[in-house]
Amino acid sequence: MPEETDVVVVGGGVAGLITARELGRKGLRVTVLEARDRLGGRVWTDHRLGRDLEIGGTWLHWVQPHAWAEVNRYGLEVTRGPRPEEAYWLAGDEVRTGTLDGFMELIDPGMRRLLEGTMHHIPRPDKPLSNPELASVDGFSVQDKLDELDLPVEEYRANEAAWVGHFNAPLGDGAFTSALRWTAATTGSWHLMHEASAVFRLASGTKSLVEAIVADTDAEIRTSTEVSRIEHDTDGAVVTTTGGERISARRVVLTLPQNLLGDLDVSPGLCAEKKAATAEGTASKGVKVWIRVRGPIKPFFAYSSASHPLSVVRTEFLGDDDAVLVSFGADASRISPHDRDAVAEALRVWRDDLEVLEVTGHDWMADPHSRETWLMQKPNQLTRYFAAQQRAEGVLHFAGSDYANVWAGFIDGAIESGHRVARDITTTLT
Ligand SMILES: Cc1cc2nc3c(=O)[nH]c(=O)nc-3n(C[C@H](O)[C@H](O)[C@H](O)COP(=O)(O)OP(=O)(O)OC[C@H]3O[C@@H](n4cnc5c(N)ncnc54)[C@H](O)[C@@H]3O)c2cc1C
């Protein structure tokens, strides 16, 4: 006989843990099954290069209501990296040197023109499909829309690099509507969107958030427990793990990223839209690299272009005799976060005075428990699949940042989705 519980949550990332906490508060028995040997999923603070580094999700902001509510709830300290004193970008083969403000001024006209219709297309980011004509722009990639602007080449490359930083993807793969959703979340301000997505972080790491949620729930949490099969009917579901455990539950919450969800053996099968979204995959397929260089150096920020293996790099920690940089590229297959020589070569596009001591990161694309970094949709995925991706199927519910309304793809979105699903379940079960 399978063991019994009220709710099984598949996945112990932020969305799964929040769902478990909220359901437990309503008196429901919850079991969280997490495939990895650690909790947190795509947030992962790990001690490397002499610092606690965020291998996955990092930045959050007070305009992200769900994330900030957790910051307040647990009294977490928020900090930021050093303010850049220098900025580098490219004008053709020439490297330009200036200030971050100068770079922001350079991209401002392109950003404004690209995003001027944001609040028309996405008037309510909390209801991303509220404009019935959204499909008319959802077929475009962000590259299509940048190309339409016909910007001078220096501005074009600079805008491109900034968007690669946001999309973690080749821009031809990323939906223009994803850029609109991010900007609608800050009511049309690209400056605020930029700050919200890339400046402030938890001083004690995302692990402190994960630990605080875990300490705040009486859910049973099992790591190294991968779910392989779910059979469900109108009364409930039986969840089977690769280790052969079977757990019967009245409801099951799936928190798998878009790129994994359709691969799970679910009987009866998931709807066609969820499967199609998995089969197409997200746009994001990039890489995040941590780089320790010899110091002292001045904190800096650098943008190249979409065609370089690393498009964005900046100083995140400053020591007396070293500094740790964080960098992003559009395509994980082009550069390994463990290849010091390749990373050193990629940095030389801006400057040849940096001595790279060590590099690290994680290949999220190759990781069987994520196979993506953060959600950026492909063209048409928002209007074709999103509503169905959020929709429950009988006793199965779907949480996860990839299926959030406002800050989809962010830590905030993971929390939002956990609240939504917990509310839906408690409405029917308690
Ligand atoms: C490199 C990188 C940088 C990022 N930067 C930021 C940032 O700066 N700010 C920000 O807000 N967000 C950022 N994000 C995004 C953010 O981290 C994610 O959107 C968020 O953490 C996703 O949470 P989730 O719970 O929805 O999904 P996940 O964290 O992916 O959780 C899903 C869980 O399910 C588990 N799982 C998978 N398959 C199974 C199975 N078969 N059985 C059991 N368990 C399974 C996984 O191991 C995982 O723990 C970044 C992500 C990455 C990868």
Side-chain angles (χ1 to χ4, degrees), residues 122-156:
I122 316 268
R124 290 279 305 266
D126 60 320
K127 295 181 165 50
L129 299 171
S130 58
N131 180 341
E133 289 163 16
L134 191 63
S136 66
V137 285
D138 199 21
F140 294 103
S141 70
V142 71
Q143 186 85 60
D144 293 333
K145 289 293 186 183
L146 260 184
D147 290 349
E148 271 179 21
L149 302 180
D150 204 18
L151 295 170
V153 68
E154 186 175 350
E155 278 184 44
Y156 179 81

PDB file of all heavy atoms in Angstrom, residues 122-156:
ATOM      1  N   ILE A 122       0.892  45.274 -22.363  1.00  0.00           N
ATOM      2  CA  ILE A 122       0.727  44.544 -21.086  1.00  0.00           C
ATOM      3  C   ILE A 122       0.231  45.550 -20.045  1.00  0.00           C
ATOM      4  O   ILE A 122       0.968  45.953 -19.134  1.00  0.00           O
ATOM      5  CB  ILE A 122       2.064  43.923 -20.595  1.00  0.00           C
ATOM      6  CG1 ILE A 122       2.839  43.237 -21.708  1.00  0.00           C
ATOM      7  CG2 ILE A 122       1.838  42.994 -19.400  1.00  0.00           C
ATOM      8  CD1 ILE A 122       2.598  41.777 -21.910  1.00  0.00           C
ATOM      9  N   PRO A 123      -1.048  45.969 -20.141  1.00  0.00           N
ATOM     10  CA  PRO A 123      -1.529  46.995 -19.210  1.00  0.00           C
ATOM     11  C   PRO A 123      -1.586  46.501 -17.773  1.00  0.00           C
ATOM     12  O   PRO A 123      -1.494  47.298 -16.847  1.00  0.00           O
ATOM     13  CB  PRO A 123      -2.934  47.330 -19.741  1.00  0.00           C
ATOM     14  CG  PRO A 123      -3.322  46.191 -20.625  1.00  0.00           C
ATOM     15  CD  PRO A 123      -2.064  45.571 -21.144  1.00  0.00           C
ATOM     16  N   ARG A 124      -1.727  45.196 -17.586  1.00  0.00           N
ATOM     17  CA  ARG A 124      -1.784  44.612 -16.242  1.00  0.00           C
ATOM     18  C   ARG A 124      -0.806  43.441 -16.196  1.00  0.00           C
ATOM     19  O   ARG A 124      -1.161  42.328 -16.549  1.00  0.00           O
ATOM     20  CB  ARG A 124      -3.209  44.107 -15.956  1.00  0.00           C
ATOM     21  CG  ARG A 124      -4.246  45.187 -15.764  1.00  0.00           C
ATOM     22  CD  ARG A 124      -4.200  45.770 -14.345  1.00  0.00           C
ATOM     23  NE  ARG A 124      -4.339  44.748 -13.315  1.00  0.00           N
ATOM     24  CZ  ARG A 124      -5.502  44.401 -12.755  1.00  0.00           C
ATOM     25  NH1 ARG A 124      -6.621  44.979 -13.109  1.00  0.00           N
ATOM     26  NH2 ARG A 124      -5.543  43.477 -11.804  1.00  0.00           N
ATOM     27  N   PRO A 125       0.423  43.681 -15.737  1.00  0.00           N
ATOM     28  CA  PRO A 125       1.378  42.576 -15.702  1.00  0.00           C
ATOM     29  C   PRO A 125       0.925  41.421 -14.819  1.00  0.00           C
ATOM     30  O   PRO A 125       1.368  40.285 -15.017  1.00  0.00           O
ATOM     31  CB  PRO A 125       2.667  43.215 -15.169  1.00  0.00           C
ATOM     32  CG  PRO A 125       2.263  44.527 -14.582  1.00  0.00           C
ATOM     33  CD  PRO A 125       1.023  44.946 -15.281  1.00  0.00           C
ATOM     34  N   ASP A 126       0.039  41.714 -13.877  1.00  0.00           N
ATOM     35  CA  ASP A 126      -0.485  40.618 -13.044  1.00  0.00           C
ATOM     36  C   ASP A 126      -1.509  39.785 -13.805  1.00  0.00           C
ATOM     37  O   ASP A 126      -1.931  38.727 -13.335  1.00  0.00           O
ATOM     38  CB  ASP A 126      -1.116  41.193 -11.761  1.00  0.00           C
ATOM     39  CG  ASP A 126      -2.270  42.137 -12.072  1.00  0.00           C
ATOM     40  OD1 ASP A 126      -2.175  42.923 -13.046  1.00  0.00           O
ATOM     41  OD2 ASP A 126      -3.298  42.079 -11.373  1.00  0.00           O
ATOM     42  N   LYS A 127      -1.917  40.279 -14.982  1.00  0.00           N
ATOM     43  CA  LYS A 127      -2.789  39.502 -15.877  1.00  0.00           C
ATOM     44  C   LYS A 127      -2.176  39.639 -17.265  1.00  0.00           C
ATOM     45  O   LYS A 127      -2.660  40.426 -18.093  1.00  0.00           O
ATOM     46  CB  LYS A 127      -4.215  40.070 -15.886  1.00  0.00           C
ATOM     47  CG  LYS A 127      -4.950  39.962 -14.561  1.00  0.00           C
ATOM     48  CD  LYS A 127      -6.348  40.542 -14.725  1.00  0.00           C
ATOM     49  CE  LYS A 127      -7.339  40.205 -13.645  1.00  0.00           C
ATOM     50  NZ  LYS A 127      -6.970  40.393 -12.285  1.00  0.00           N
ATOM     51  N   PRO A 128      -1.092  38.921 -17.522  1.00  0.00           N
ATOM     52  CA  PRO A 128      -0.290  39.225 -18.723  1.00  0.00           C
ATOM     53  C   PRO A 128      -1.028  39.062 -20.046  1.00  0.00           C
ATOM     54  O   PRO A 128      -0.589  39.590 -21.071  1.00  0.00           O
ATOM     55  CB  PRO A 128       0.891  38.259 -18.632  1.00  0.00           C
ATOM     56  CG  PRO A 128       0.661  37.405 -17.457  1.00  0.00           C
ATOM     57  CD  PRO A 128      -0.509  37.887 -16.678  1.00  0.00           C
ATOM     58  N   LEU A 129      -2.176  38.365 -20.026  1.00  0.00           N
ATOM     59  CA  LEU A 129      -2.913  38.165 -21.281  1.00  0.00           C
ATOM     60  C   LEU A 129      -4.103  39.105 -21.396  1.00  0.00           C
ATOM     61  O   LEU A 129      -4.984  38.891 -22.230  1.00  0.00           O
ATOM     62  CB  LEU A 129      -3.386  36.709 -21.371  1.00  0.00           C
ATOM     63  CG  LEU A 129      -2.256  35.666 -21.375  1.00  0.00           C
ATOM     64  CD1 LEU A 129      -2.824  34.259 -21.238  1.00  0.00           C
ATOM     65  CD2 LEU A 129      -1.444  35.773 -22.661  1.00  0.00           C
ATOM     66  N   SER A 130      -4.122  40.185 -20.599  1.00  0.00           N
ATOM     67  CA  SER A 130      -5.348  40.986 -20.550  1.00  0.00           C
ATOM     68  C   SER A 130      -5.612  41.785 -21.825  1.00  0.00           C
ATOM     69  O   SER A 130      -6.733  42.175 -22.088  1.00  0.00           O
ATOM     70  CB  SER A 130      -5.350  41.913 -19.329  1.00  0.00           C
ATOM     71  OG  SER A 130      -4.221  42.754 -19.365  1.00  0.00           O
ATOM     72  N   ASN A 131      -4.573  42.068 -22.629  1.00  0.00           N
ATOM     73  CA  ASN A 131      -4.833  42.746 -23.901  1.00  0.00           C
ATOM     74  C   ASN A 131      -5.176  41.690 -24.966  1.00  0.00           C
ATOM     75  O   ASN A 131      -4.325  40.873 -25.322  1.00  0.00           O
ATOM     76  CB  ASN A 131      -3.596  43.552 -24.331  1.00  0.00           C
ATOM     77  CG  ASN A 131      -3.825  44.281 -25.649  1.00  0.00           C
ATOM     78  OD1 ASN A 131      -4.725  43.931 -26.413  1.00  0.00           O
ATOM     79  ND2 ASN A 131      -3.026  45.300 -25.915  1.00  0.00           N
ATOM     80  N   PRO A 132      -6.426  41.704 -25.480  1.00  0.00           N
ATOM     81  CA  PRO A 132      -6.825  40.647 -26.424  1.00  0.00           C
ATOM     82  C   PRO A 132      -6.029  40.680 -27.733  1.00  0.00           C
ATOM     83  O   PRO A 132      -6.063  39.707 -28.495  1.00  0.00           O
ATOM     84  CB  PRO A 132      -8.313  40.935 -26.665  1.00  0.00           C
ATOM     85  CG  PRO A 132      -8.547  42.334 -26.190  1.00  0.00           C
ATOM     86  CD  PRO A 132      -7.493  42.661 -25.181  1.00  0.00           C
ATOM     87  N   GLU A 133      -5.317  41.796 -27.979  1.00  0.00           N
ATOM     88  CA  GLU A 133      -4.540  41.881 -29.231  1.00  0.00           C
ATOM     89  C   GLU A 133      -3.065  41.519 -29.046  1.00  0.00           C
ATOM     90  O   GLU A 133      -2.241  41.756 -29.936  1.00  0.00           O
ATOM     91  CB  GLU A 133      -4.636  43.299 -29.798  1.00  0.00           C
ATOM     92  CG  GLU A 133      -6.024  43.595 -30.349  1.00  0.00           C
ATOM     93  CD  GLU A 133      -6.253  45.086 -30.521  1.00  0.00           C
ATOM     94  OE1 GLU A 133      -5.274  45.842 -30.508  1.00  0.00           O
ATOM     95  OE2 GLU A 133      -7.425  45.462 -30.644  1.00  0.00           O
ATOM     96  N   LEU A 134      -2.742  40.929 -27.914  1.00  0.00           N
ATOM     97  CA  LEU A 134      -1.331  40.662 -27.613  1.00  0.00           C
ATOM     98  C   LEU A 134      -0.675  39.750 -28.652  1.00  0.00           C
ATOM     99  O   LEU A 134       0.517  39.866 -28.950  1.00  0.00           O
ATOM    100  CB  LEU A 134      -1.209  40.040 -26.213  1.00  0.00           C
ATOM    101  CG  LEU A 134       0.197  39.936 -25.646  1.00  0.00           C
ATOM    102  CD1 LEU A 134       0.819  41.323 -25.466  1.00  0.00           C
ATOM    103  CD2 LEU A 134       0.186  39.190 -24.311  1.00  0.00           C
ATOM    104  N   ALA A 135      -1.484  38.855 -29.220  1.00  0.00           N
ATOM    105  CA  ALA A 135      -0.920  37.904 -30.195  1.00  0.00           C
ATOM    106  C   ALA A 135      -0.278  38.637 -31.371  1.00  0.00           C
ATOM    107  O   ALA A 135       0.636  38.108 -32.014  1.00  0.00           O
ATOM    108  CB  ALA A 135      -2.008  36.952 -30.682  1.00  0.00           C
ATOM    109  N   SER A 136      -0.722  39.872 -31.633  1.00  0.00           N
ATOM    110  CA  SER A 136      -0.184  40.589 -32.794  1.00  0.00           C
ATOM    111  C   SER A 136       1.288  40.967 -32.603  1.00  0.00           C
ATOM    112  O   SER A 136       1.986  41.219 -33.576  1.00  0.00           O
ATOM    113  CB  SER A 136      -1.013  41.853 -33.076  1.00  0.00           C
ATOM    114  OG  SER A 136      -0.859  42.763 -32.005  1.00  0.00           O
ATOM    115  N   VAL A 137       1.758  41.018 -31.358  1.00  0.00           N
ATOM    116  CA  VAL A 137       3.197  41.279 -31.155  1.00  0.00           C
ATOM    117  C   VAL A 137       3.947  40.057 -30.631  1.00  0.00           C
ATOM    118  O   VAL A 137       5.177  40.063 -30.590  1.00  0.00           O
ATOM    119  CB  VAL A 137       3.474  42.461 -30.189  1.00  0.00           C
ATOM    120  CG1 VAL A 137       3.223  43.784 -30.840  1.00  0.00           C
ATOM    121  CG2 VAL A 137       2.728  42.315 -28.878  1.00  0.00           C
ATOM    122  N   ASP A 138       3.205  39.019 -30.233  1.00  0.00           N
ATOM    123  CA  ASP A 138       3.870  37.886 -29.581  1.00  0.00           C
ATOM    124  C   ASP A 138       4.697  37.049 -30.561  1.00  0.00           C
ATOM    125  O   ASP A 138       5.512  36.229 -30.153  1.00  0.00           O
ATOM    126  CB  ASP A 138       2.811  37.013 -28.874  1.00  0.00           C
ATOM    127  CG  ASP A 138       3.417  36.115 -27.809  1.00  0.00           C
ATOM    128  OD1 ASP A 138       4.532  36.442 -27.339  1.00  0.00           O
ATOM    129  OD2 ASP A 138       2.797  35.100 -27.465  1.00  0.00           O
ATOM    130  N   GLY A 139       4.482  37.250 -31.832  1.00  0.00           N
ATOM    131  CA  GLY A 139       5.250  36.489 -32.826  1.00  0.00           C
ATOM    132  C   GLY A 139       6.647  37.048 -33.064  1.00  0.00           C
ATOM    133  O   GLY A 139       7.482  36.409 -33.715  1.00  0.00           O
ATOM    134  N   PHE A 140       6.920  38.239 -32.523  1.00  0.00           N
ATOM    135  CA  PHE A 140       8.221  38.869 -32.774  1.00  0.00           C
ATOM    136  C   PHE A 140       9.240  38.457 -31.719  1.00  0.00           C
ATOM    137  O   PHE A 140       8.895  38.305 -30.544  1.00  0.00           O
ATOM    138  CB  PHE A 140       8.098  40.399 -32.752  1.00  0.00           C
ATOM    139  CG  PHE A 140       7.274  40.949 -33.876  1.00  0.00           C
ATOM    140  CD1 PHE A 140       5.976  41.374 -33.670  1.00  0.00           C
ATOM    141  CD2 PHE A 140       7.826  41.031 -35.155  1.00  0.00           C
ATOM    142  CE1 PHE A 140       5.213  41.877 -34.708  1.00  0.00           C
ATOM    143  CE2 PHE A 140       7.064  41.543 -36.199  1.00  0.00           C
ATOM    144  CZ  PHE A 140       5.759  41.957 -35.986  1.00  0.00           C
ATOM    145  N   SER A 141      10.481  38.362 -32.167  1.00  0.00           N
ATOM    146  CA  SER A 141      11.567  38.204 -31.199  1.00  0.00           C
ATOM    147  C   SER A 141      12.034  39.594 -30.786  1.00  0.00           C
ATOM    148  O   SER A 141      11.748  40.598 -31.471  1.00  0.00           O
ATOM    149  CB  SER A 141      12.731  37.434 -31.814  1.00  0.00           C
ATOM    150  OG  SER A 141      13.360  38.239 -32.795  1.00  0.00           O
ATOM    151  N   VAL A 142      12.792  39.670 -29.724  1.00  0.00           N
ATOM    152  CA  VAL A 142      13.336  40.966 -29.308  1.00  0.00           C
ATOM    153  C   VAL A 142      14.347  41.454 -30.353  1.00  0.00           C
ATOM    154  O   VAL A 142      14.477  42.656 -30.598  1.00  0.00           O
ATOM    155  CB  VAL A 142      13.893  40.883 -27.865  1.00  0.00           C
ATOM    156  CG1 VAL A 142      15.154  40.081 -27.783  1.00  0.00           C
ATOM    157  CG2 VAL A 142      14.097  42.262 -27.269  1.00  0.00           C
ATOM    158  N   GLN A 143      15.004  40.511 -31.015  1.00  0.00           N
ATOM    159  CA  GLN A 143      15.932  40.887 -32.102  1.00  0.00           C
ATOM    160  C   GLN A 143      15.163  41.556 -33.253  1.00  0.00           C
ATOM    161  O   GLN A 143      15.606  42.583 -33.779  1.00  0.00           O
ATOM    162  CB  GLN A 143      16.633  39.629 -32.634  1.00  0.00           C
ATOM    163  CG  GLN A 143      17.709  39.902 -33.664  1.00  0.00           C
ATOM    164  CD  GLN A 143      19.037  40.233 -33.000  1.00  0.00           C
ATOM    165  OE1 GLN A 143      19.565  39.416 -32.268  1.00  0.00           O
ATOM    166  NE2 GLN A 143      19.553  41.419 -33.240  1.00  0.00           N
ATOM    167  N   ASP A 144      14.007  40.988 -33.620  1.00  0.00           N
ATOM    168  CA  ASP A 144      13.185  41.597 -34.685  1.00  0.00           C
ATOM    169  C   ASP A 144      12.905  43.066 -34.362  1.00  0.00           C
ATOM    170  O   ASP A 144      13.016  43.948 -35.221  1.00  0.00           O
ATOM    171  CB  ASP A 144      11.806  40.916 -34.793  1.00  0.00           C
ATOM    172  CG  ASP A 144      11.873  39.482 -35.273  1.00  0.00           C
ATOM    173  OD1 ASP A 144      12.826  39.145 -35.996  1.00  0.00           O
ATOM    174  OD2 ASP A 144      10.958  38.693 -34.901  1.00  0.00           O
ATOM    175  N   LYS A 145      12.519  43.296 -33.122  1.00  0.00           N
ATOM    176  CA  LYS A 145      12.095  44.644 -32.740  1.00  0.00           C
ATOM    177  C   LYS A 145      13.280  45.601 -32.607  1.00  0.00           C
ATOM    178  O   LYS A 145      13.162  46.781 -32.927  1.00  0.00           O
ATOM    179  CB  LYS A 145      11.279  44.593 -31.435  1.00  0.00           C
ATOM    180  CG  LYS A 145       9.904  43.976 -31.648  1.00  0.00           C
ATOM    181  CD  LYS A 145       9.094  44.907 -32.531  1.00  0.00           C
ATOM    182  CE  LYS A 145       7.667  44.504 -32.708  1.00  0.00           C
ATOM    183  NZ  LYS A 145       6.936  45.399 -33.633  1.00  0.00           N
ATOM    184  N   LEU A 146      14.419  45.065 -32.154  1.00  0.00           N
ATOM    185  CA  LEU A 146      15.625  45.912 -32.115  1.00  0.00           C
ATOM    186  C   LEU A 146      16.043  46.299 -33.529  1.00  0.00           C
ATOM    187  O   LEU A 146      16.405  47.443 -33.792  1.00  0.00           O
ATOM    188  CB  LEU A 146      16.778  45.131 -31.486  1.00  0.00           C
ATOM    189  CG  LEU A 146      17.142  45.371 -30.029  1.00  0.00           C
ATOM    190  CD1 LEU A 146      18.372  44.554 -29.658  1.00  0.00           C
ATOM    191  CD2 LEU A 146      17.392  46.846 -29.759  1.00  0.00           C
ATOM    192  N   ASP A 147      15.980  45.327 -34.437  1.00  0.00           N
ATOM    193  CA  ASP A 147      16.391  45.592 -35.818  1.00  0.00           C
ATOM    194  C   ASP A 147      15.519  46.675 -36.456  1.00  0.00           C
ATOM    195  O   ASP A 147      16.000  47.509 -37.223  1.00  0.00           O
ATOM    196  CB  ASP A 147      16.315  44.308 -36.662  1.00  0.00           C
ATOM    197  CG  ASP A 147      17.396  43.308 -36.267  1.00  0.00           C
ATOM    198  OD1 ASP A 147      18.304  43.696 -35.495  1.00  0.00           O
ATOM    199  OD2 ASP A 147      17.322  42.143 -36.701  1.00  0.00           O
ATOM    200  N   GLU A 148      14.236  46.657 -36.121  1.00  0.00           N
ATOM    201  CA  GLU A 148      13.305  47.649 -36.695  1.00  0.00           C
ATOM    202  C   GLU A 148      13.700  49.081 -36.346  1.00  0.00           C
ATOM    203  O   GLU A 148      13.363  50.017 -37.064  1.00  0.00           O
ATOM    204  CB  GLU A 148      11.886  47.425 -36.135  1.00  0.00           C
ATOM    205  CG  GLU A 148      11.047  46.458 -36.922  1.00  0.00           C
ATOM    206  CD  GLU A 148       9.674  46.289 -36.264  1.00  0.00           C
ATOM    207  OE1 GLU A 148       9.241  47.160 -35.480  1.00  0.00           O
ATOM    208  OE2 GLU A 148       9.046  45.243 -36.532  1.00  0.00           O
ATOM    209  N   LEU A 149      14.406  49.259 -35.235  1.00  0.00           N
ATOM    210  CA  LEU A 149      14.729  50.619 -34.776  1.00  0.00           C
ATOM    211  C   LEU A 149      15.799  51.285 -35.631  1.00  0.00           C
ATOM    212  O   LEU A 149      15.937  52.507 -35.622  1.00  0.00           O
ATOM    213  CB  LEU A 149      15.198  50.600 -33.318  1.00  0.00           C
ATOM    214  CG  LEU A 149      14.227  50.024 -32.291  1.00  0.00           C
ATOM    215  CD1 LEU A 149      14.847  50.087 -30.897  1.00  0.00           C
ATOM    216  CD2 LEU A 149      12.896  50.762 -32.313  1.00  0.00           C
ATOM    217  N   ASP A 150      16.581  50.453 -36.327  1.00  0.00           N
ATOM    218  CA  ASP A 150      17.617  50.998 -37.197  1.00  0.00           C
ATOM    219  C   ASP A 150      18.550  51.956 -36.430  1.00  0.00           C
ATOM    220  O   ASP A 150      18.802  53.087 -36.855  1.00  0.00           O
ATOM    221  CB  ASP A 150      16.944  51.719 -38.381  1.00  0.00           C
ATOM    222  CG  ASP A 150      17.872  51.780 -39.579  1.00  0.00           C
ATOM    223  OD1 ASP A 150      18.833  50.993 -39.601  1.00  0.00           O
ATOM    224  OD2 ASP A 150      17.646  52.631 -40.456  1.00  0.00           O
ATOM    225  N   LEU A 151      19.050  51.480 -35.318  1.00  0.00           N
ATOM    226  CA  LEU A 151      19.912  52.308 -34.452  1.00  0.00           C
ATOM    227  C   LEU A 151      21.309  52.437 -35.044  1.00  0.00           C
ATOM    228  O   LEU A 151      21.766  51.533 -35.758  1.00  0.00           O
ATOM    229  CB  LEU A 151      20.029  51.647 -33.077  1.00  0.00           C
ATOM    230  CG  LEU A 151      18.752  51.538 -32.242  1.00  0.00           C
ATOM    231  CD1 LEU A 151      19.000  50.649 -31.023  1.00  0.00           C
ATOM    232  CD2 LEU A 151      18.287  52.915 -31.799  1.00  0.00           C
ATOM    233  N   PRO A 152      22.022  53.516 -34.728  1.00  0.00           N
ATOM    234  CA  PRO A 152      23.442  53.583 -35.080  1.00  0.00           C
ATOM    235  C   PRO A 152      24.175  52.389 -34.458  1.00  0.00           C
ATOM    236  O   PRO A 152      23.786  51.910 -33.387  1.00  0.00           O
ATOM    237  CB  PRO A 152      23.918  54.891 -34.429  1.00  0.00           C
ATOM    238  CG  PRO A 152      22.681  55.663 -34.130  1.00  0.00           C
ATOM    239  CD  PRO A 152      21.557  54.695 -33.987  1.00  0.00           C
ATOM    240  N   VAL A 153      25.248  51.945 -35.104  1.00  0.00           N
ATOM    241  CA  VAL A 153      25.809  50.646 -34.750  1.00  0.00           C
ATOM    242  C   VAL A 153      26.264  50.557 -33.297  1.00  0.00           C
ATOM    243  O   VAL A 153      26.059  49.534 -32.629  1.00  0.00           O
ATOM    244  CB  VAL A 153      26.930  50.236 -35.738  1.00  0.00           C
ATOM    245  CG1 VAL A 153      28.169  51.124 -35.604  1.00  0.00           C
ATOM    246  CG2 VAL A 153      27.310  48.777 -35.561  1.00  0.00           C
ATOM    247  N   GLU A 154      26.839  51.624 -32.754  1.00  0.00           N
ATOM    248  CA  GLU A 154      27.318  51.556 -31.364  1.00  0.00           C
ATOM    249  C   GLU A 154      26.133  51.384 -30.401  1.00  0.00           C
ATOM    250  O   GLU A 154      26.175  50.579 -29.469  1.00  0.00           O
ATOM    251  CB  GLU A 154      28.110  52.826 -31.029  1.00  0.00           C
ATOM    252  CG  GLU A 154      28.750  52.781 -29.664  1.00  0.00           C
ATOM    253  CD  GLU A 154      29.638  53.992 -29.399  1.00  0.00           C
ATOM    254  OE1 GLU A 154      29.906  54.771 -30.345  1.00  0.00           O
ATOM    255  OE2 GLU A 154      30.078  54.155 -28.245  1.00  0.00           O
ATOM    256  N   GLU A 155      25.070  52.133 -30.671  1.00  0.00           N
ATOM    257  CA  GLU A 155      23.875  52.010 -29.831  1.00  0.00           C
ATOM    258  C   GLU A 155      23.237  50.633 -29.982  1.00  0.00           C
ATOM    259  O   GLU A 155      22.767  50.043 -29.020  1.00  0.00           O
ATOM    260  CB  GLU A 155      22.829  53.050 -30.259  1.00  0.00           C
ATOM    261  CG  GLU A 155      23.051  54.414 -29.697  1.00  0.00           C
ATOM    262  CD  GLU A 155      21.904  55.342 -30.089  1.00  0.00           C
ATOM    263  OE1 GLU A 155      20.731  54.939 -30.004  1.00  0.00           O
ATOM    264  OE2 GLU A 155      22.194  56.467 -30.520  1.00  0.00           O
ATOM    265  N   TYR A 156      23.246  50.158 -31.224  1.00  0.00           N
ATOM    266  CA  TYR A 156      22.629  48.856 -31.494  1.00  0.00           C
ATOM    267  C   TYR A 156      23.337  47.754 -30.714  1.00  0.00           C
ATOM    268  O   TYR A 156      22.707  46.950 -30.023  1.00  0.00           O
ATOM    269  CB  TYR A 156      22.680  48.578 -33.001  1.00  0.00           C
ATOM    270  CG  TYR A 156      22.090  47.248 -33.393  1.00  0.00           C
ATOM    271  CD1 TYR A 156      20.714  47.091 -33.526  1.00  0.00           C
ATOM    272  CD2 TYR A 156      22.906  46.150 -33.617  1.00  0.00           C
ATOM    273  CE1 TYR A 156      20.160  45.872 -33.877  1.00  0.00           C
ATOM    274  CE2 TYR A 156      22.363  44.925 -33.974  1.00  0.00           C
ATOM    275  CZ  TYR A 156      20.994  44.788 -34.104  1.00  0.00           C
ATOM    276  OH  TYR A 156      20.456  43.578 -34.438  1.00  0.00           O
TER     277      TYR A 156
END
